[in-house]
Amino acid sequence: MRETVGVDDSTCQLRDILDRVGDKWSVLVMTLLGGGPMRYSELQRAIEGISQRMLTLTLRSLERDGLVERNVTPTSPPRVDYTLTQVGQTLSTEVAGLMTWAEQHRDYVAASRLRYDTSRPA
């Protein structure tokens, strides 16, 4: 029989990290930044469907977690670039593998969803 995992258990605390790195917006931001530094506006243009608020929240969360660094160049107006930290780069490699898997299997998943949805009574 399997034991339950308590809230204070270190395994349970991993949920917080997995929530961050498993979030769809975080995955997309990390994938883009894996190609090098980008400005906020470049990220927003590259991620279809993300709102300004959600991109800001995602970048702040990734920065808070030590995965993304915000670099301000004091010009007029200030230039802000986002880059992956060293630890963020190691995660970016893993995220790239997940993105590759998703691209290779998206048709399969779409067909499976359609098959499931059409086989269920309304």
Side-chain angles (χ1 to χ4, degrees):
M1 188 163 79
R2 196 170 196 174
E3 285 186 47
T4 58
V5 179
V7 175
D8 295 329
D9 190 280
S10 63
T11 303
C12 190
Q13 293 172 1
L14 289 175
R15 285 186 303 179
D16 189 40
I17 295 170
L18 293 173
D19 283 346
R20 168 72 44 242
V21 299
D23 170 79
K24 70 179 177 180
W25 300 123
S26 295
V27 167
L28 293 173
V29 167
M30 302 248 348
T31 299
L32 289 168
L33 292 178
M38 292 183 77
R39 297 180 77 174
Y40 182 94
S41 59
E42 293 172 317
L43 288 165
Q44 191 170 28
R45 280 192 303 271
I47 304 173
E48 188 176 320
I50 194 167
S51 68
Q52 183 175 349
R53 180 180 184 281
M54 187 52 63
L55 179 56
T56 298
L57 290 173
T58 300
L59 287 166
R60 283 183 185 161
S61 295
L62 290 168
E63 185 180 5
R64 180 176 179 248
D65 291 344
L67 302 173
V68 167
E69 192 172 67
R70 183 176 184 267
N71 302 301
V72 180
T73 304
T75 58
S76 183
R79 178 186 170 106
V80 180
D81 291 288
Y82 293 90
T83 58
L84 293 176
T85 63
Q86 254 185 323
V87 172
Q89 289 173 2
T90 65
L91 178 58
S92 178
T93 303
E94 304 301 324
V95 167
L98 177 62
M99 290 294 287
T100 299
W101 183 92
E103 288 171 0
Q104 290 173 347
H105 295 91
R106 70 175 152 205
D107 291 340
Y108 170 82
V109 171
S112 295
R113 288 177 178 174
L114 180 62
R115 189 172 46 256
Y116 179 88
D117 292 346
T118 57
S119 70
R120 309 291 277 175

